Amino acid sequence: MPLGHFFLAINIEAMCPLETFKKNSSSLLTALRGSMKSPAGPGRIWTAGEPENDARVKRMGQGGMNVPVSLQKNMVVLRDVRPGLAEKYSKLPFE
């Protein structure tokens, strides 16, 4: 199956002031989240990026994310063999 990607960058300020765009976007998202929810649904309307941001906030509140032991070992080896990394990362958070 063919797979493609499309990326588009839009200069918002070419269409309206940035603060106006932010205010309008905030109003739209607030209205969307406040919409009537299905009684059979999960009880919350999520918008793009919210689950990921909630997970990031939770992880950071717990001291960061867990790094598997095998990856920790690879990170130490990489630090020790690549020039300049030992000086920059003399001690990794899990050491």
Side-chain angles (χ1 to χ4, degrees):
M1 168 190 276
L3 174 67
H5 292 80
F6 176 77
F7 298 92
L8 176 68
I10 299 174
N11 179 2
I12 297 299
E13 292 179 299
M15 294 180 273
C16 70
L18 185 58
E19 288 307 312
T20 300
F21 174 78
K22 289 180 178 182
K23 181 180 175 191
N24 290 345
S25 297
S26 177
S27 296
L28 175 67
L29 292 173
T30 299
L32 179 64
R33 291 183 197 113
S35 298
M36 184 181 296
K37 296 151 186 77
S38 167
R44 178 171 179 180
I45 296 176
W46 294 89
T47 56
E50 281 189 312
E52 295 82 1
N53 186 61
D54 286 358
R56 182 189 63 80
V57 168
K58 181 179 177 182
R59 279 193 307 271
M60 296 311 290
Q62 297 170 344
M65 62 184 281
N66 293 325
V67 179
V69 174
S70 59
L71 180 56
Q72 290 178 16
K73 290 177 183 177
N74 289 339
M75 291 170 72
V76 169
V77 168
L78 182 64
R79 177 202 53 204
D80 293 344
V81 299
R82 296 293 298 178
L85 290 182
E87 293 79 23
K88 188 173 182 179
Y89 303 104
S90 60
K91 184 172 174 99
L92 295 166
F94 49 78
E95 292 184 298

